[in-house]
Amino acid sequence: MATQHSRAAARLMISPAVILLLGWMLIPLGMTIYFSFLRYNLLMPGTEAWAGFENYSYFLTDPAFFAAIWNTLFLVGGVLLITVVGGILLALLLDQPFWGQGIVRLLVIAPFFVMPTVSALVWKNMFMNPVNGLFAFLADAIGMQPVDFFAEIPLLSIILIVAWGWLPFATLILLTAMQSLDGEQLEASEMDGAGAVSRFFHIVLPHLARAITVVILIQTIFLLSIFAEILVTTNGGPGTATTNLTFLVYAESLLRFDVGTGSAGGVVAVILANIVAIFLMRMIGKNLDA
């Protein structure tokens, strides 16, 4: 009886926080869904009208939508590939004892604490600028033509910038997992004649499997909504070359002032993100149960 009263009291005490959290999540979502069924343009106030699924039809048949889906998938996949492979290599390096190890680890993790807008501006103006950038200077030094990154390879440039910011996160998670590996197991395999490559693929990599799945899940959730790096570097261009789903919603809502279509795009983005998250959660669940 006392246990039931204590549980009821606990529920009563946490209920205000739960109600506030639900309101904070559900009210904006509900307003977005409501606006997605309206013909609502910010340049024509007072002319709002019910549009039904017209906004969804317009958004899903927009040629930019398919380009945005492809760019989103390519962006997420490219960043994941760089961060996972690079994170494993850096974790292997940082796991070895050497002088100044603490300082090097701090320097490797530091980019994760730089704001995305700041890092994108630094890369754009100090590294990738085709006239005054560091890469242009190095190209001139070896007699090569400087590359105009944001005109010739814009999406790849965005991937490099985003991957630079997320690589420390992957490294930190994978390094923590690597340090939990039993050293005696590695020593025993080495005594049995296993080489470094064999030990990596048969002992180290399987041990890192769970950490890798966690990195993929967390990064994917955030990478689906990448926006700042695109806004301050390419503004979605040239054309739609770097327009992902998030930037397309922004363009509809705040560049074309079409709140109805932008809201419909936001609902579509939420649905697609949840589908991806559920798929990844199922994959991770199978991996963790294995």
Side-chain angles (χ1 to χ4, degrees), residues 58-132:
Y58 177 80
F59 186 82
L60 294 174
T61 56
D62 186 351
F65 172 74
F66 299 100
I69 290 291
W70 162 250
N71 291 337
T72 301
L73 295 176
F74 194 76
L75 175 62
V76 173
V79 173
L80 287 177
L81 179 63
I82 294 174
T83 54
V84 171
V85 175
I88 292 174
L89 295 176
L90 282 174
L92 287 171
L93 177 63
L94 295 176
D95 193 44
Q96 307 300 319
F98 57 88
W99 185 85
Q101 188 180 55
I103 297 177
V104 173
R105 288 182 179 180
L106 181 63
L107 293 175
V108 169
I109 297 172
F112 186 65
F113 300 100
V114 180
M115 293 176 60
T117 306
V118 175
S119 64
L121 287 173
V122 168
W123 276 87
K124 177 182 179 180
N125 297 315
M126 298 182 64
F127 291 100
M128 294 181 172
N129 189 293
V131 178
N132 302 316

Side-chain angles (χ1 to χ4, degrees), residues 5 35 45 51 69 76 122 140-141 156 158 170 182 211 229 256 262 281:
H5 283 303
F35 286 135
I69 290 291
V76 173
V122 168
D140 288 333
L156 180 58
I158 299 293
D182 187 6
E229 293 88 341
R256 302 183 184 98
M281 288 296 292

Side-chain angles (χ1 to χ4, degrees), residues 4-242:
Q4 292 179 352
H5 283 303
S6 61
R7 289 178 179 175
R11 294 192 186 100
L12 182 63
M13 286 187 288
I14 67 171
S15 58
V18 174
I19 293 172
L20 179 62
L21 180 61
L22 288 176
W24 179 58
M25 295 172 58
L26 296 179
I27 291 176
L29 179 60
M31 293 180 64
T32 302
I33 295 174
Y34 171 70
F35 286 135
S36 70
F37 291 103
L38 294 181
R39 192 177 294 110
Y40 182 13
N41 194 295
L42 293 176
L43 297 180
M44 294 181 289
T47 61
E48 296 82 7
W50 186 258
F53 288 94
E54 179 182 316
N55 292 324
Y56 290 92
S57 176
Y58 177 80
F59 186 82
L60 294 174
T61 56
D62 186 351
F65 172 74
F66 299 100
I69 290 291
W70 162 250
N71 291 337
T72 301
L73 295 176
F74 194 76
L75 175 62
V76 173
V79 173
L80 287 177
L81 179 63
I82 294 174
T83 54
V84 171
V85 175
I88 292 174
L89 295 176
L90 282 174
L92 287 171
L93 177 63
L94 295 176
D95 193 44
Q96 307 300 319
F98 57 88
W99 185 85
Q101 188 180 55
I103 297 177
V104 173
R105 288 182 179 180
L106 181 63
L107 293 175
V108 169
I109 297 172
F112 186 65
F113 300 100
V114 180
M115 293 176 60
T117 306
V118 175
S119 64
L121 287 173
V122 168
W123 276 87
K124 177 182 179 180
N125 297 315
M126 298 182 64
F127 291 100
M128 294 181 172
N129 189 293
V131 178
N132 302 316
L134 177 62
F135 295 150
F137 173 79
L138 295 176
D140 288 333
I142 59 177
M144 294 180 60
Q145 183 71 22
V147 178
D148 190 349
F149 287 89
F150 296 110
E152 299 177 22
I153 47 173
L155 189 56
L156 180 58
S157 302
I158 299 293
I159 290 174
L160 292 176
I161 294 172
V162 177
W164 178 82
W166 279 98
L167 183 58
F169 171 80
T171 302
L172 184 62
I173 299 297
L174 295 171
L175 178 60
T176 303
M178 189 169 296
Q179 289 179 336
S180 66
L181 179 61
D182 187 6
E184 294 181 358
Q185 187 178 4
L186 291 174
E187 293 176 3
S189 62
E190 187 176 3
M191 292 178 63
D192 290 338
V197 176
S198 180
R199 292 198 303 272
F200 173 76
F201 282 103
H202 292 92
I203 299 177
V204 176
L205 198 57
H207 180 76
L208 295 178
R210 294 189 176 188
I212 291 173
T213 54
V214 171
V215 169
I216 291 175
L217 173 63
I218 296 177
Q219 288 194 176
T220 300
I221 293 173
F222 284 93
L223 292 175
L224 288 171
S225 58
I226 287 295
F227 174 74
E229 293 88 341
I230 297 174
L231 179 66
V232 302
T233 53
T234 62
N235 206 31
T240 58
T242 56

